[in-house]
Amino acid sequence: MAGAKGKQRVVIIGASGQLGTDLVKVMQDWHVIPLTHADLDICDFVYTRKVLEDAKPDIVINTAAFNRVDDCEEEVSKAFWVNAFAVRNLAQICADLDCVLVHISTNYVFDGQKREPYTEDDPPNPLSVYGASKLTGEYFARNICPKHFVIRTSGLYGVAGSRAKGGNFVETMIRLAKEGRPIRVVNDQVLTPTYTKDLAEKIKELVQTEAYGLYHITNSGECSWYEFAAKIFELLRLRPDFGPTTTAEYGARARRPAYSVLARERLAQLGLDDLRPWLQALAEYLRVR
Ligand SMILES: NC(=O)c1ccc[n+]([C@@H]2O[C@H](COP(=O)([O-])OP(=O)(O)OC[C@H]3O[C@@H](n4cnc5c(N)ncnc54)[C@H](OP(=O)(O)O)[C@@H]3O)[C@@H](O)[C@H]2O)c1
């Protein structure tokens, strides 16, 4: 790969987000060029090309997204601009520069009808505008940029907290518990919560291969959002007014898959180790946050 002679030049887009922050940290021994939203709006196609041409990267990692899933239902145009059309532009630029594009996608490309983990070969069928816009972005990255890694992940939390969502799920649960509010969490959506530090480390391993393609990367195991919240409270010895609810009762604007656990088959085929169980990762996050 281009940087084999020296340090990889890696542009990280969305550098102050949860995953972006951890990527900058784990790649600090490479030549990292972090770009926050204030530095670069990927919807400005001309400026994006100029910035990337000047940066001369070996690798571009796009973590930027419009990821407020419910808001995407109303702001459809914005969802497709950020999650799809801007990705097409990035893919075209990376193809022209002959560099690697790493693009992050989501478990919400699946409809959740399956009851066992989705592999990379399972057909997607998104239920929401967010899922459809992210799937379109995947297709652009895969079909325009030959050197691509498209990585689907799920349930992210990291020490930077999701900027877009004003704190991640873990922080929201802790805040609600401390405020003494009743907490009801859906028990009929199953996924794998994933620590962005673990994901960032695996991305670093993966990009050192030339095994381009589509990958699922999450921590291992599975749980419902309710079970995830229960473990957060148990590990922190918090005792809030807490109970389960259903997706129907909760009534979110966007539809979400009932089951969206991702099988990490292609990582295994490559001989890369699986990620640790989600509960171990959560325990570490709660120690270092
Ligand atoms: N969070 C999850 O549970 C989850 C699950 C599955 C997949 N994913 C995917 O994983 C990736 C990373 O998620 P994350 O949780 O790390 O997100 P995040 O914390 O919200 O970070 C995303 C970053 O992108 C920036 N951004 C938004 N629009 C932009 C634009 N037009 N141009 C440039 N930067 C822009 C945001 O900046 P501002 O905040 O300043 O706008 C933010 O810093 C995303 O692709 C997401 O779709 C997330």
Side-chain angles (χ1 to χ4, degrees), residues 17-19 37 40-42 64 67 104 130 134 153 156 163:
Q18 302 192 95
L19 177 59
H37 197 172
L40 175 71
D41 181 346
I42 56 170
N67 56 9
I104 313 300
Y130 171 73
K134 293 289 291 184
T153 187
L156 294 185
R163 281 179 51 86

Side-chain angles (χ1 to χ4, degrees), residues 8 83 142:
Q8 301 282 353
N83 297 339
R142 294 171 66 185

Side-chain angles (χ1 to χ4, degrees), residues 185-202:
V185 179
V186 293
N187 202 17
D188 55 1
Q189 288 174 33
V190 173
L191 74 165
T192 309
T194 299
Y195 185 18
T196 49
K197 174 177 166 252
D198 292 5
L199 174 58
E201 283 169 352
K202 196 54 68 178

Side-chain angles (χ1 to χ4, degrees), residues 58-123:
D58 299 305
I59 305 173
V60 172
I61 307 182
N62 178 38
T63 73
F66 180 35
N67 56 9
R68 294 196 311 271
V69 178
D70 292 313
D71 290 349
C72 286
E73 295 296 308
E74 264 85 62
E75 298 177 63
V76 179
S77 171
K78 179 175 171 185
F80 275 84
W81 273 101
V82 180
N83 297 339
F85 307 147
V87 180
R88 175 172 179 256
N89 186 51
L90 286 173
Q92 281 169 338
I93 298 166
C94 290
D96 293 345
L97 296 178
D98 191 30
C99 72
V100 175
L101 173 64
V102 180
H103 176 64
I104 313 300
S105 189
T106 173
N107 53 333
Y108 285 4
V109 298
F110 293 114
D111 62 17
Q113 294 299 308
K114 215 178 157 188
R115 280 296 177 273
E116 58 187 59
Y118 282 94
T119 73
E120 290 88 350
D121 293 321
D122 279 318

Side-chain angles (χ1 to χ4, degrees), residues 46-58:
V46 175
Y47 186 62
T48 300
R49 179 173 283 276
K50 183 184 171 352
V51 168
L52 293 183
E53 283 176 357
D54 289 350
K56 298 188 175 43
D58 299 305

Side-chain angles (χ1 to χ4, degrees), residues 119-140:
T119 73
E120 290 88 350
D121 293 321
D122 279 318
N125 184 33
L127 302 175
S128 62
V129 170
Y130 171 73
S133 66
K134 293 289 291 184
L135 180 62
T136 309
E138 287 187 5
Y139 288 143
F140 285 140

